[in-house]
Amino acid sequence: MSSDQVVTRFAPSPTGFLHIGGARTALFNWLYARGRGGKFLLRIEDTDRERSTPEATAAILQGLTWLGLDWDDEPISQFERAPRHAEVAQQLLAEGKAYKCFSTQEEIAAFREAARAEGKSTLFRSPWRDADPATYPDAPYVIRIRAPQAGSTVIRDRVQGEVTIRNDQLDDMILLRSDGTPVYMLAVVVDDHDMGVTHVIRGDDHLNNAARQMMIYEAMGWDVPVWAHIPLIHGPDGKKLSKRHGALGAQEYQAMGFPAAGMRNYLARLGWSHGDDEFFTDDQAKAWFDLDGIGKSPARFDMKKLENLCGQHISVSDDAALRQEAEAYLAAAGLPALTEAQGKALETAMFCLKERARTFPELLEKAHFALVSRPVEPDEKAAKALETVSNGILSELTPQLQSASWTRNDLEATLGAFAENQGTKFGKLAGPLRAALAGRAVTPSVFDMMLVLGRDETLARLRDAAGRVGSN
Ligand code: GLU
């Protein structure tokens, strides 16, 4: 690994699904690394043994996979690295940068009580900080960092700017508990250092932690990573995103049928901008993404914008890829899978489906004509449309189509001429023809459907429909 290689990481706590805020954090880290030939690593912060579950880890990995955010190397389990975290605490102790503290819970509570009564800061000041080791009792102890007491700690954050914290507001935080387990704050720093993380891009709910984490970097003499604390995502009402605002899990968006490329584009725009660009490809996002483009105020989640971007991505996606993603959507939504023949038909029809579909349910609804097999049952609207023509018209049309060459131009000409002969306009025939071919009122164009279905199937459907309508 060259020393100037960018290394980012996503460090979720596996206590639930991958929520939309986490997905955005992961995306920012992924874009930053991928745009710079860097590495994007994954660390599962599973030290909270009661709340962490393997199911949650699996759900997070699945969510990232759906979003196409591939990571380098094996995901790291923070819990498994506990011995290494403890080793660092011991090293700081040996170097005098940390000390053993024998204060009991009761003593700490009494200290705080007294400080409160005197109107002083309740930050605990351990009497063991400068104690002579000869006076150490044979009792349980924690290891505390020897925090600087004067001056201030400055976090140079690429999003928030310079954040200064007075050192007298920081306590000698615990590094190692009396049972020998490391605290979370120590684990994060040791892991980020050992993983070679150069840029920490994460939610600004962690900004306060950065000051405490800096103390550990400095005590160890390690390079401090570039910090970028990104504002959280808010709902359309400007309040912090919550269940009230609807779906929170990344995979819920898959089950709603949003394409991953559209989701990536939308999430990238959620808090980051590149001029006025709204729609962009992954390659553009990787080339453009930088920390300077991240806004300081919280972004608002906007479903309409997500839908619009998704529609644009569907319209430019490759047909085979769309078929694959539509089939994955059906599985994610717990809907019946397509047969092989239906899958092929979907792909063949894709050219006339992808123009205006914003989601896979919309795309599949338009695809109904290609997925259904005869006899095509008209829905209510289609049945009404069919009532506007006589079976005579449909039966007269079939021989003309029999001899037409099956190209868009010829079909347009044939149907135009046919309508004229009937003393009507093609527009009047389109509704019943849609109904006959698709059993639906909203479909791709009649010509596109005919091209996809082919001559035999088209004629068979027209005959079926003629059999349904009366001879008025
Ligand atoms: N595990 C933390 C979280 O899920 C992230 C910690 C970090 O990024 O440093 O919020």
Side-chain angles (χ1 to χ4, degrees), residues 55 77 92 95 114 175 211 228 235 258-259 274 288 343 359 368 386 447:
E55 292 75 23
S77 154
L92 288 172
E95 292 172 2
L175 300 176
F258 289 108
H274 179 265
W288 294 342
T359 62
H368 181 74
L386 269 181
F447 307 109

Side-chain angles (χ1 to χ4, degrees), residues 9 11-13 45 184 188 202 206:
R9 52 44 162 204
S13 306
E45 302 214 316
Y184 171 68
V188 170
R202 62 185 176 191
H206 288 281

Side-chain angles (χ1 to χ4, degrees), residues 268-304:
R269 279 289 292 109
L270 209 49
W272 171 78
S273 56
H274 179 265
D276 292 331
D277 294 305
E278 291 292 343
F279 171 82
F280 39 77
T281 63
D282 284 333
D283 284 344
Q284 286 172 318
K286 286 177 200 167
W288 294 342
F289 188 82
D290 60 0
L291 302 178
D292 295 334
I294 299 176
K296 257 186 161 181
S297 43
R300 292 191 186 195
F301 198 87
D302 179 343
M303 204 60 156
K304 280 267 157 310

